[in-house]
C-alpha cells in the first residue's frame, strides 16, 4: 500500500454544487480504482489523502495535476504504508469553513503557507496523523450536499 498527500489551490470559484459533483465523481472513480482517502476543502484549497496501490495512486495524482481546477499543487507526503487508514472510504470529505480553520492549527499553517514541508521536519507525518484523525468525524464519510 502507498499514500500520497497533496495540497492545491483552486483555480476558479467552486460553489457547493460544483464541489458536490466533484466529490460524487471522485467517489465513483476511486471505487473503480480501489483508491481510498479523504478530501478537505478549506479556504481556496484542497488537501487530499490518497491510498492504494502505488501505480494507481500515482496515476490518479497525474490526472489531478492536469486538472485545470487545481494550481500550485504541492506534495506534502508520499510513502509506503502497511495498511489503509481510510479503508472503506472511497472518498471522505470535509468542508472546513474559514471560521472553523482555527480549530485545525496545523492545517491552517499549511494552507496559509506558513509551514514548509520537508522530511527532516517530521511535519509530513504530523500532517498525515492529523488527517487520519478525521476518520472519527462521522460527517466526513457522508455525502456532501
Amino acid at each position: 500500500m502507498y499514500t500520497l498527500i497533496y495540497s492545491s489551490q483552486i483555480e476558479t470559484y467552486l460553489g457547493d454544487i460544483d464541489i458536490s459533483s466533484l466529490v460524487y465523481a471522485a467517489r465513483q472513480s476511486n471505487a473503480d480504482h480501489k483508491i481510498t482517502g479523504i478530501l478537505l476543502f478549506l479556504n481556496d484549497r484542497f488537501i487530499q489523502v490518497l491510498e492504494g496501490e502505488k501505480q494507481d495512486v500515482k496515476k490518479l495524482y497525474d490526472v489531478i495535476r492536469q486538472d485545470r481546477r487545481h494550481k500550485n499543487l504541492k506534495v506534502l507526503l508520499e510513502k509506503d504504508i502497511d495498511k489503509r487508514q481510510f479503508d472503506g472510504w472511497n472518498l471522505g470529505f470535509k468542508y472546513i469553513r474559514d471560521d472553523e480553520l482555527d480549530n485545525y492549527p496545523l492545517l491552517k499553517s499549511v494552507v496559509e503557507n506558513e509551514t514548509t514541508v520537508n522530511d527532516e521536519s517530521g511535519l509530513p507525518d504530523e500532517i498525515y496523523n492529523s488527517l487520519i484523525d478525521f476518520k472519527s468525524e462521522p460527517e466526513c464519510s457522508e455525502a456532501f450536499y
Side-chain angles (χ1 to χ4, degrees):
M1 283 293 110
Y2 184 78
T3 191
L4 184 146
I5 302 171
Y6 74 89
S7 70
S8 68
Q9 285 183 289
I10 297 166
E11 181 65 39
T12 59
Y13 172 78
L14 295 175
D16 288 350
I17 292 172
D18 300 315
I19 294 169
S20 184
S21 296
L22 183 145
V23 169
Y24 178 80
R27 283 179 173 158
Q28 296 297 106
S29 176
N30 287 359
D32 292 344
H33 297 96
K34 297 181 175 67
I35 300 283
T36 56
I38 188 167
L39 174 67
L40 303 180
F41 177 56
L42 46 169
N43 279 351
D44 64 343
R45 287 198 174 264
F46 287 121
I47 296 178
Q48 185 170 15
V49 177
L50 303 171
E51 302 174 324
E53 295 300 324
K54 187 173 188 172
Q55 69 274 8
D56 296 329
V57 169
K58 287 194 167 269
K59 188 181 218 180
L60 176 56
Y61 183 68
D62 284 341
V63 169
I64 292 167
R65 283 186 24 226
Q66 295 172 31
D67 186 327
R68 292 182 182 188
R69 293 174 289 197
H70 298 273
K71 66 179 182 180
N72 300 326
L73 272 90
K74 179 170 42 171
V75 173
L76 303 177
L77 174 73
E78 290 184 81
K79 71 177 187 176
D80 292 317
I81 54 175
D82 294 330
K83 65 178 184 155
R84 294 175 189 266
Q85 294 297 322
F86 296 94
D87 196 24
W89 288 33
N90 294 332
L91 183 66
F93 179 78
K94 180 152 178 90
Y95 190 163
I96 300 175
R97 292 180 171 31
D98 290 344
D99 61 338
E100 299 173 308
L101 197 53
D102 287 335
N103 297 330
Y104 306 97
L106 182 59
L107 296 178
K108 181 178 180 179
S109 68
V110 170
V111 166
E112 294 178 349
N113 293 316
E114 295 170 6
T115 302
T116 302
V117 178
N118 60 51
D119 290 336
E120 296 81 37
S121 69
L123 190 59
D125 286 322
E126 272 187 68
I127 292 168
Y128 184 52
N129 292 332
S130 72
L131 293 169
I132 291 169
D133 289 343
F134 283 99
K135 288 190 319 187
S136 64
E137 297 189 26
E139 74 274 10
C140 293
S141 63
E142 295 174 4
F144 171 74
Y145 300 101

mmCIF file of all heavy atoms in Angstrom, residues 2-46:
data_model
loop_
_atom_site.group_PDB
_atom_site.id
_atom_site.type_symbol
_atom_site.label_atom_id
_atom_site.label_comp_id
_atom_site.label_asym_id
_atom_site.label_seq_id
_atom_site.Cartn_x
_atom_site.Cartn_y
_atom_site.Cartn_z
ATOM 1 N N TYR A 2 0.275 2.303 -0.479
ATOM 2 C CA TYR A 2 1.007 3.552 -0.686
ATOM 3 C C TYR A 2 0.064 4.707 -0.404
ATOM 4 O O TYR A 2 -1.143 4.614 -0.645
ATOM 5 C CB TYR A 2 1.471 3.585 -2.152
ATOM 6 C CG TYR A 2 2.330 4.745 -2.536
ATOM 7 C CD1 TYR A 2 3.682 4.782 -2.190
ATOM 8 C CD2 TYR A 2 1.807 5.788 -3.285
ATOM 9 C CE1 TYR A 2 4.478 5.845 -2.574
ATOM 10 C CE2 TYR A 2 2.609 6.848 -3.678
ATOM 11 C CZ TYR A 2 3.939 6.869 -3.323
ATOM 12 O OH TYR A 2 4.734 7.914 -3.711
ATOM 13 N N THR A 3 0.609 5.796 0.127
ATOM 14 C CA THR A 3 -0.202 7.001 0.341
ATOM 15 C C THR A 3 0.515 8.213 -0.226
ATOM 16 O O THR A 3 1.751 8.265 -0.242
ATOM 17 C CB THR A 3 -0.543 7.216 1.831
ATOM 18 O OG1 THR A 3 -1.529 8.246 1.948
ATOM 19 C CG2 THR A 3 0.668 7.592 2.656
ATOM 20 N N LEU A 4 -0.288 9.149 -0.691
ATOM 21 C CA LEU A 4 0.204 10.433 -1.184
ATOM 22 C C LEU A 4 -0.759 11.490 -0.663
ATOM 23 O O LEU A 4 -1.976 11.334 -0.758
ATOM 24 C CB LEU A 4 0.229 10.449 -2.713
ATOM 25 C CG LEU A 4 0.817 11.704 -3.366
ATOM 26 C CD1 LEU A 4 1.529 11.323 -4.650
ATOM 27 C CD2 LEU A 4 -0.222 12.753 -3.650
ATOM 28 N N ILE A 5 -0.196 12.543 -0.082
ATOM 29 C CA ILE A 5 -0.992 13.673 0.393
ATOM 30 C C ILE A 5 -0.530 14.902 -0.373
ATOM 31 O O ILE A 5 0.678 15.144 -0.496
ATOM 32 C CB ILE A 5 -0.805 13.922 1.906
ATOM 33 C CG1 ILE A 5 -1.169 12.671 2.695
ATOM 34 C CG2 ILE A 5 -1.641 15.119 2.363
ATOM 35 C CD1 ILE A 5 -0.799 12.761 4.172
ATOM 36 N N TYR A 6 -1.480 15.654 -0.893
ATOM 37 C CA TYR A 6 -1.126 16.870 -1.617
ATOM 38 C C TYR A 6 -2.047 17.999 -1.183
ATOM 39 O O TYR A 6 -3.125 17.792 -0.622
ATOM 40 C CB TYR A 6 -1.231 16.673 -3.139
ATOM 41 C CG TYR A 6 -2.646 16.629 -3.653
ATOM 42 C CD1 TYR A 6 -3.308 17.795 -4.024
ATOM 43 C CD2 TYR A 6 -3.328 15.436 -3.740
ATOM 44 C CE1 TYR A 6 -4.612 17.767 -4.464
ATOM 45 C CE2 TYR A 6 -4.638 15.391 -4.179
ATOM 46 C CZ TYR A 6 -5.273 16.558 -4.539
ATOM 47 O OH TYR A 6 -6.573 16.526 -4.955
ATOM 48 N N SER A 7 -1.598 19.215 -1.476
ATOM 49 C CA SER A 7 -2.460 20.381 -1.338
ATOM 50 C C SER A 7 -2.450 21.108 -2.670
ATOM 51 O O SER A 7 -1.495 20.996 -3.442
ATOM 52 C CB SER A 7 -1.995 21.308 -0.210
ATOM 53 O OG SER A 7 -0.794 21.944 -0.554
ATOM 54 N N SER A 8 -3.525 21.817 -2.944
ATOM 55 C CA SER A 8 -3.591 22.628 -4.161
ATOM 56 C C SER A 8 -4.520 23.806 -3.918
ATOM 57 O O SER A 8 -5.367 23.766 -3.035
ATOM 58 C CB SER A 8 -4.111 21.801 -5.342
ATOM 59 O OG SER A 8 -5.468 21.463 -5.164
ATOM 60 N N GLN A 9 -4.310 24.842 -4.703
ATOM 61 C CA GLN A 9 -5.229 25.970 -4.700
ATOM 62 C C GLN A 9 -6.249 25.747 -5.798
ATOM 63 O O GLN A 9 -5.962 25.081 -6.801
ATOM 64 C CB GLN A 9 -4.491 27.275 -4.972
ATOM 65 C CG GLN A 9 -3.700 27.773 -3.798
ATOM 66 C CD GLN A 9 -3.067 29.103 -4.129
ATOM 67 O OE1 GLN A 9 -2.145 29.154 -4.921
ATOM 68 N NE2 GLN A 9 -3.563 30.156 -3.514
ATOM 69 N N ILE A 10 -7.407 26.325 -5.612
ATOM 70 C CA ILE A 10 -8.463 26.215 -6.607
ATOM 71 C C ILE A 10 -8.271 27.336 -7.619
ATOM 72 O O ILE A 10 -8.115 28.498 -7.258
ATOM 73 C CB ILE A 10 -9.840 26.310 -5.932
ATOM 74 C CG1 ILE A 10 -10.002 25.134 -4.973
ATOM 75 C CG2 ILE A 10 -10.944 26.347 -6.959
ATOM 76 C CD1 ILE A 10 -11.145 25.284 -4.032
ATOM 77 N N GLU A 11 -8.273 26.964 -8.876
ATOM 78 C CA GLU A 11 -8.044 27.928 -9.957
ATOM 79 C C GLU A 11 -9.231 28.872 -10.129
ATOM 80 O O GLU A 11 -9.062 30.067 -10.331
ATOM 81 C CB GLU A 11 -7.761 27.180 -11.265
ATOM 82 C CG GLU A 11 -7.473 28.079 -12.447
ATOM 83 C CD GLU A 11 -6.200 28.892 -12.298
ATOM 84 O OE1 GLU A 11 -5.198 28.382 -11.778
ATOM 85 O OE2 GLU A 11 -6.218 30.067 -12.705
ATOM 86 N N THR A 12 -10.435 28.340 -10.068
ATOM 87 C CA THR A 12 -11.641 29.149 -10.238
ATOM 88 C C THR A 12 -12.617 28.829 -9.116
ATOM 89 O O THR A 12 -12.527 27.777 -8.481
ATOM 90 C CB THR A 12 -12.327 28.864 -11.591
ATOM 91 O OG1 THR A 12 -12.662 27.487 -11.659
ATOM 92 C CG2 THR A 12 -11.424 29.226 -12.752
ATOM 93 N N TYR A 13 -13.539 29.716 -8.888
ATOM 94 C CA TYR A 13 -14.530 29.533 -7.831
ATOM 95 C C TYR A 13 -15.297 28.230 -8.027
ATOM 96 O O TYR A 13 -15.718 27.903 -9.140
ATOM 97 C CB TYR A 13 -15.510 30.712 -7.823
ATOM 98 C CG TYR A 13 -16.667 30.493 -6.877
ATOM 99 C CD1 TYR A 13 -16.501 30.675 -5.514
ATOM 100 C CD2 TYR A 13 -17.905 30.071 -7.352
ATOM 101 C CE1 TYR A 13 -17.548 30.449 -4.640
ATOM 102 C CE2 TYR A 13 -18.957 29.847 -6.482
ATOM 103 C CZ TYR A 13 -18.773 30.040 -5.123
ATOM 104 O OH TYR A 13 -19.804 29.808 -4.257
ATOM 105 N N LEU A 14 -15.468 27.483 -6.937
ATOM 106 C CA LEU A 14 -16.290 26.279 -6.949
ATOM 107 C C LEU A 14 -17.402 26.464 -5.929
ATOM 108 O O LEU A 14 -17.137 26.637 -4.741
ATOM 109 C CB LEU A 14 -15.467 25.040 -6.582
ATOM 110 C CG LEU A 14 -14.355 24.631 -7.536
ATOM 111 C CD1 LEU A 14 -13.574 23.460 -6.961
ATOM 112 C CD2 LEU A 14 -14.915 24.285 -8.900
ATOM 113 N N GLY A 15 -18.637 26.420 -6.387
ATOM 114 C CA GLY A 15 -19.772 26.505 -5.488
ATOM 115 C C GLY A 15 -20.104 25.149 -4.903
ATOM 116 O O GLY A 15 -19.488 24.131 -5.233
ATOM 117 N N ASP A 16 -21.101 25.124 -4.026
ATOM 118 C CA ASP A 16 -21.494 23.879 -3.367
ATOM 119 C C ASP A 16 -21.874 22.789 -4.366
ATOM 120 O O ASP A 16 -21.511 21.623 -4.187
ATOM 121 C CB ASP A 16 -22.660 24.123 -2.403
ATOM 122 C CG ASP A 16 -22.233 24.877 -1.157
ATOM 123 O OD1 ASP A 16 -21.015 25.054 -0.939
ATOM 124 O OD2 ASP A 16 -23.117 25.296 -0.395
ATOM 125 N N ILE A 17 -22.575 23.145 -5.415
ATOM 126 C CA ILE A 17 -22.988 22.145 -6.407
ATOM 127 C C ILE A 17 -21.763 21.602 -7.142
ATOM 128 O O ILE A 17 -21.659 20.398 -7.389
ATOM 129 C CB ILE A 17 -24.020 22.735 -7.387
ATOM 130 C CG1 ILE A 17 -25.324 23.003 -6.637
ATOM 131 C CG2 ILE A 17 -24.254 21.803 -8.570
ATOM 132 C CD1 ILE A 17 -26.364 23.754 -7.432
ATOM 133 N N ASP A 18 -20.813 22.493 -7.477
ATOM 134 C CA ASP A 18 -19.581 22.054 -8.134
ATOM 135 C C ASP A 18 -18.814 21.063 -7.255
ATOM 136 O O ASP A 18 -18.338 20.033 -7.727
ATOM 137 C CB ASP A 18 -18.658 23.246 -8.437
ATOM 138 C CG ASP A 18 -19.299 24.273 -9.342
ATOM 139 O OD1 ASP A 18 -19.912 23.886 -10.347
ATOM 140 O OD2 ASP A 18 -19.172 25.472 -9.038
ATOM 141 N N ILE A 19 -18.694 21.399 -5.987
ATOM 142 C CA ILE A 19 -17.944 20.548 -5.061
ATOM 143 C C ILE A 19 -18.671 19.217 -4.867
ATOM 144 O O ILE A 19 -18.054 18.149 -4.877
ATOM 145 C CB ILE A 19 -17.712 21.266 -3.714
ATOM 146 C CG1 ILE A 19 -16.796 22.463 -3.938
ATOM 147 C CG2 ILE A 19 -17.113 20.308 -2.692
ATOM 148 C CD1 ILE A 19 -16.699 23.403 -2.770
ATOM 149 N N SER A 20 -19.977 19.268 -4.716
ATOM 150 C CA SER A 20 -20.760 18.045 -4.567
ATOM 151 C C SER A 20 -20.584 17.132 -5.773
ATOM 152 O O SER A 20 -20.394 15.921 -5.636
ATOM 153 C CB SER A 20 -22.236 18.393 -4.366
ATOM 154 O OG SER A 20 -22.987 17.237 -4.138
ATOM 155 N N SER A 21 -20.617 17.706 -6.966
ATOM 156 C CA SER A 21 -20.423 16.925 -8.194
ATOM 157 C C SER A 21 -19.022 16.336 -8.254
ATOM 158 O O SER A 21 -18.843 15.177 -8.637
ATOM 159 C CB SER A 21 -20.657 17.798 -9.429
ATOM 160 O OG SER A 21 -21.988 18.229 -9.477
ATOM 161 N N LEU A 22 -18.026 17.131 -7.875
ATOM 162 C CA LEU A 22 -16.646 16.663 -7.866
ATOM 163 C C LEU A 22 -16.489 15.488 -6.914
ATOM 164 O O LEU A 22 -15.875 14.473 -7.258
ATOM 165 C CB LEU A 22 -15.729 17.818 -7.474
ATOM 166 C CG LEU A 22 -14.234 17.564 -7.474
ATOM 167 C CD1 LEU A 22 -13.493 18.820 -7.908
ATOM 168 C CD2 LEU A 22 -13.744 17.120 -6.131
ATOM 169 N N VAL A 23 -17.029 15.616 -5.703
ATOM 170 C CA VAL A 23 -16.921 14.553 -4.699
ATOM 171 C C VAL A 23 -17.630 13.296 -5.189
ATOM 172 O O VAL A 23 -17.099 12.189 -5.080
ATOM 173 C CB VAL A 23 -17.471 15.020 -3.330
ATOM 174 C CG1 VAL A 23 -17.606 13.857 -2.356
ATOM 175 C CG2 VAL A 23 -16.573 16.108 -2.743
ATOM 176 N N TYR A 24 -18.815 13.442 -5.759
ATOM 177 C CA TYR A 24 -19.565 12.285 -6.268
ATOM 178 C C TYR A 24 -18.764 11.556 -7.348
ATOM 179 O O TYR A 24 -18.605 10.332 -7.301
ATOM 180 C CB TYR A 24 -20.919 12.734 -6.818
ATOM 181 C CG TYR A 24 -21.718 11.590 -7.393
ATOM 182 C CD1 TYR A 24 -22.433 10.739 -6.557
ATOM 183 C CD2 TYR A 24 -21.741 11.357 -8.762
ATOM 184 C CE1 TYR A 24 -23.156 9.679 -7.074
ATOM 185 C CE2 TYR A 24 -22.458 10.294 -9.294
ATOM 186 C CZ TYR A 24 -23.171 9.462 -8.450
ATOM 187 O OH TYR A 24 -23.873 8.409 -8.965
ATOM 188 N N ALA A 25 -18.235 12.301 -8.309
ATOM 189 C CA ALA A 25 -17.470 11.693 -9.406
ATOM 190 C C ALA A 25 -16.190 11.034 -8.880
ATOM 191 O O ALA A 25 -15.823 9.935 -9.318
ATOM 192 C CB ALA A 25 -17.135 12.743 -10.462
ATOM 193 N N ALA A 26 -15.517 11.687 -7.938
ATOM 194 C CA ALA A 26 -14.284 11.136 -7.375
ATOM 195 C C ALA A 26 -14.566 9.847 -6.608
ATOM 196 O O ALA A 26 -13.788 8.892 -6.685
ATOM 197 C CB ALA A 26 -13.607 12.159 -6.471
ATOM 198 N N ARG A 27 -15.680 9.808 -5.879
ATOM 199 C CA ARG A 27 -16.035 8.587 -5.149
ATOM 200 C C ARG A 27 -16.252 7.427 -6.104
ATOM 201 O O ARG A 27 -15.823 6.303 -5.848
ATOM 202 C CB ARG A 27 -17.273 8.817 -4.295
ATOM 203 C CG ARG A 27 -16.985 9.596 -3.036
ATOM 204 C CD ARG A 27 -18.213 9.837 -2.199
ATOM 205 N NE ARG A 27 -17.818 10.438 -0.934
ATOM 206 C CZ ARG A 27 -18.629 11.138 -0.165
ATOM 207 N NH1 ARG A 27 -19.880 11.339 -0.524
ATOM 208 N NH2 ARG A 27 -18.188 11.645 0.969
ATOM 209 N N GLN A 28 -16.920 7.693 -7.213
ATOM 210 C CA GLN A 28 -17.161 6.649 -8.213
ATOM 211 C C GLN A 28 -15.833 6.165 -8.803
ATOM 212 O O GLN A 28 -15.587 4.963 -8.901
ATOM 213 C CB GLN A 28 -18.067 7.161 -9.336
ATOM 214 C CG GLN A 28 -19.462 7.539 -8.892
ATOM 215 C CD GLN A 28 -20.225 6.348 -8.352
ATOM 216 O OE1 GLN A 28 -20.415 6.220 -7.156
ATOM 217 N NE2 GLN A 28 -20.633 5.460 -9.224
ATOM 218 N N SER A 29 -14.997 7.089 -9.216
ATOM 219 C CA SER A 29 -13.709 6.748 -9.818
ATOM 220 C C SER A 29 -12.811 6.014 -8.825
ATOM 221 O O SER A 29 -12.165 5.019 -9.168
ATOM 222 C CB SER A 29 -13.016 8.014 -10.322
ATOM 223 O OG SER A 29 -11.745 7.716 -10.827
ATOM 224 N N ASN A 30 -12.761 6.509 -7.588
ATOM 225 C CA ASN A 30 -11.929 5.873 -6.574
ATOM 226 C C ASN A 30 -12.378 4.441 -6.307
ATOM 227 O O ASN A 30 -11.552 3.544 -6.141
ATOM 228 C CB ASN A 30 -11.934 6.674 -5.277
ATOM 229 C CG ASN A 30 -11.132 7.949 -5.374
ATOM 230 O OD1 ASN A 30 -10.542 8.260 -6.407
ATOM 231 N ND2 ASN A 30 -11.123 8.713 -4.295
ATOM 232 N N ALA A 31 -13.678 4.215 -6.276
ATOM 233 C CA ALA A 31 -14.196 2.858 -6.066
ATOM 234 C C ALA A 31 -13.736 1.947 -7.203
ATOM 235 O O ALA A 31 -13.316 0.807 -6.962
ATOM 236 C CB ALA A 31 -15.717 2.876 -5.968
ATOM 237 N N ASP A 32 -13.799 2.451 -8.419
ATOM 238 C CA ASP A 32 -13.381 1.660 -9.588
ATOM 239 C C ASP A 32 -11.896 1.308 -9.538
ATOM 240 O O ASP A 32 -11.491 0.262 -10.045
ATOM 241 C CB ASP A 32 -13.663 2.420 -10.888
ATOM 242 C CG ASP A 32 -15.150 2.580 -11.172
ATOM 243 O OD1 ASP A 32 -15.968 1.858 -10.551
ATOM 244 O OD2 ASP A 32 -15.492 3.441 -12.014
ATOM 245 N N HIS A 33 -11.083 2.193 -8.950
ATOM 246 C CA HIS A 33 -9.630 2.002 -8.937
ATOM 247 C C HIS A 33 -9.085 1.587 -7.571
ATOM 248 O O HIS A 33 -7.871 1.596 -7.358
ATOM 249 C CB HIS A 33 -8.932 3.278 -9.423
ATOM 250 C CG HIS A 33 -9.274 3.606 -10.834
ATOM 251 N ND1 HIS A 33 -10.272 4.498 -11.165
ATOM 252 C CD2 HIS A 33 -8.789 3.127 -11.992
ATOM 253 C CE1 HIS A 33 -10.375 4.564 -12.479
ATOM 254 N NE2 HIS A 33 -9.487 3.745 -13.009
ATOM 255 N N LYS A 34 -10.003 1.266 -6.650
ATOM 256 C CA LYS A 34 -9.613 0.820 -5.298
ATOM 257 C C LYS A 34 -8.724 1.842 -4.575
ATOM 258 O O LYS A 34 -7.746 1.497 -3.922
ATOM 259 C CB LYS A 34 -8.951 -0.546 -5.350
ATOM 260 C CG LYS A 34 -9.882 -1.631 -5.873
ATOM 261 C CD LYS A 34 -9.203 -2.971 -5.897
ATOM 262 C CE LYS A 34 -10.135 -4.072 -6.304
ATOM 263 N NZ LYS A 34 -10.621 -4.064 -7.658
ATOM 264 N N ILE A 35 -9.087 3.114 -4.724
ATOM 265 C CA ILE A 35 -8.400 4.214 -4.040
ATOM 266 C C ILE A 35 -9.273 4.628 -2.853
ATOM 267 O O ILE A 35 -10.497 4.732 -2.978
ATOM 268 C CB ILE A 35 -8.228 5.434 -4.971
ATOM 269 C CG1 ILE A 35 -7.403 5.084 -6.204
ATOM 270 C CG2 ILE A 35 -7.642 6.629 -4.226
ATOM 271 C CD1 ILE A 35 -5.921 4.986 -5.991
ATOM 272 N N THR A 36 -8.646 4.856 -1.713
ATOM 273 C CA THR A 36 -9.356 5.357 -0.543
ATOM 274 C C THR A 36 -8.687 6.648 -0.088
ATOM 275 O O THR A 36 -7.591 6.993 -0.536
ATOM 276 C CB THR A 36 -9.348 4.321 0.608
ATOM 277 O OG1 THR A 36 -7.996 3.964 0.911
ATOM 278 C CG2 THR A 36 -10.130 3.074 0.230
ATOM 279 N N GLY A 37 -9.357 7.376 0.813
ATOM 280 C CA GLY A 37 -8.767 8.595 1.338
ATOM 281 C C GLY A 37 -9.802 9.609 1.760
ATOM 282 O O GLY A 37 -10.975 9.288 1.966
ATOM 283 N N ILE A 38 -9.346 10.835 1.884
ATOM 284 C CA ILE A 38 -10.210 11.940 2.315
ATOM 285 C C ILE A 38 -9.791 13.205 1.575
ATOM 286 O O ILE A 38 -8.613 13.393 1.253
ATOM 287 C CB ILE A 38 -10.139 12.146 3.850
ATOM 288 C CG1 ILE A 38 -11.185 13.171 4.315
ATOM 289 C CG2 ILE A 38 -8.736 12.528 4.294
ATOM 290 C CD1 ILE A 38 -11.384 13.196 5.816
ATOM 291 N N LEU A 39 -10.778 14.050 1.322
ATOM 292 C CA LEU A 39 -10.561 15.342 0.673
ATOM 293 C C LEU A 39 -11.082 16.421 1.611
ATOM 294 O O LEU A 39 -12.238 16.362 2.053
ATOM 295 C CB LEU A 39 -11.316 15.397 -0.656
ATOM 296 C CG LEU A 39 -11.311 16.734 -1.402
ATOM 297 C CD1 LEU A 39 -9.901 17.057 -1.901
ATOM 298 C CD2 LEU A 39 -12.295 16.689 -2.569
ATOM 299 N N LEU A 40 -10.225 17.382 1.916
ATOM 300 C CA LEU A 40 -10.634 18.538 2.709
ATOM 301 C C LEU A 40 -10.687 19.747 1.788
ATOM 302 O O LEU A 40 -9.798 19.945 0.958
ATOM 303 C CB LEU A 40 -9.633 18.821 3.830
ATOM 304 C CG LEU A 40 -9.352 17.696 4.817
ATOM 305 C CD1 LEU A 40 -8.335 18.150 5.848
ATOM 306 C CD2 LEU A 40 -10.617 17.210 5.483
ATOM 307 N N PHE A 41 -11.721 20.541 1.957
ATOM 308 C CA PHE A 41 -11.857 21.788 1.213
ATOM 309 C C PHE A 41 -11.837 22.902 2.238
ATOM 310 O O PHE A 41 -12.692 22.971 3.119
ATOM 311 C CB PHE A 41 -13.172 21.781 0.424
ATOM 312 C CG PHE A 41 -13.434 23.056 -0.329
ATOM 313 C CD1 PHE A 41 -12.519 23.540 -1.237
ATOM 314 C CD2 PHE A 41 -14.610 23.754 -0.132
ATOM 315 C CE1 PHE A 41 -12.772 24.719 -1.943
ATOM 316 C CE2 PHE A 41 -14.872 24.922 -0.822
ATOM 317 C CZ PHE A 41 -13.952 25.405 -1.725
ATOM 318 N N LEU A 42 -10.815 23.769 2.159
ATOM 319 C CA LEU A 42 -10.693 24.839 3.125
ATOM 320 C C LEU A 42 -10.123 26.078 2.453
ATOM 321 O O LEU A 42 -9.175 25.982 1.677
ATOM 322 C CB LEU A 42 -9.849 24.427 4.333
ATOM 323 C CG LEU A 42 -8.546 23.707 4.196
ATOM 324 C CD1 LEU A 42 -7.847 23.689 5.541
ATOM 325 C CD2 LEU A 42 -8.696 22.290 3.726
ATOM 326 N N ASN A 43 -10.750 27.203 2.772
ATOM 327 C CA ASN A 43 -10.418 28.454 2.103
ATOM 328 C C ASN A 43 -10.539 28.237 0.601
ATOM 329 O O ASN A 43 -11.580 27.855 0.118
ATOM 330 C CB ASN A 43 -9.031 28.954 2.496
ATOM 331 C CG ASN A 43 -9.021 29.688 3.816
ATOM 332 O OD1 ASN A 43 -10.064 29.981 4.373
ATOM 333 N ND2 ASN A 43 -7.850 29.978 4.311
ATOM 334 N N ASP A 44 -9.466 28.451 -0.110
ATOM 335 C CA ASP A 44 -9.467 28.214 -1.556
ATOM 336 C C ASP A 44 -8.557 27.038 -1.892
ATOM 337 O O ASP A 44 -7.936 26.996 -2.936
ATOM 338 C CB ASP A 44 -9.005 29.469 -2.299
ATOM 339 C CG ASP A 44 -7.564 29.842 -1.991
ATOM 340 O OD1 ASP A 44 -7.020 29.345 -0.975
ATOM 341 O OD2 ASP A 44 -6.960 30.611 -2.748
ATOM 342 N N ARG A 45 -8.462 26.089 -0.978
ATOM 343 C CA ARG A 45 -7.526 24.973 -1.127
ATOM 344 C C ARG A 45 -8.197 23.624 -0.925
ATOM 345 O O ARG A 45 -9.191 23.506 -0.225
ATOM 346 C CB ARG A 45 -6.407 25.066 -0.092
ATOM 347 C CG ARG A 45 -5.436 26.135 -0.373
ATOM 348 C CD ARG A 45 -4.166 25.861 0.410
ATOM 349 N NE ARG A 45 -3.170 26.815 0.033
ATOM 350 C CZ ARG A 45 -2.244 26.597 -0.877
ATOM 351 N NH1 ARG A 45 -2.172 25.458 -1.491
ATOM 352 N NH2 ARG A 45 -1.370 27.527 -1.170
ATOM 353 N N PHE A 46 -7.561 22.631 -1.532
ATOM 354 C CA PHE A 46 -7.849 21.239 -1.253
ATOM 355 C C PHE A 46 -6.628 20.647 -0.566
ATOM 356 O O PHE A 46 -5.490 20.992 -0.896
ATOM 357 C CB PHE A 46 -8.062 20.429 -2.540
ATOM 358 C CG PHE A 46 -9.354 20.689 -3.244
ATOM 359 C CD1 PHE A 46 -9.356 21.150 -4.549
ATOM 360 C CD2 PHE A 46 -10.564 20.444 -2.622
ATOM 361 C CE1 PHE A 46 -10.542 21.370 -5.227
ATOM 362 C CE2 PHE A 46 -11.764 20.657 -3.287
ATOM 363 C CZ PHE A 46 -11.753 21.125 -4.589
#
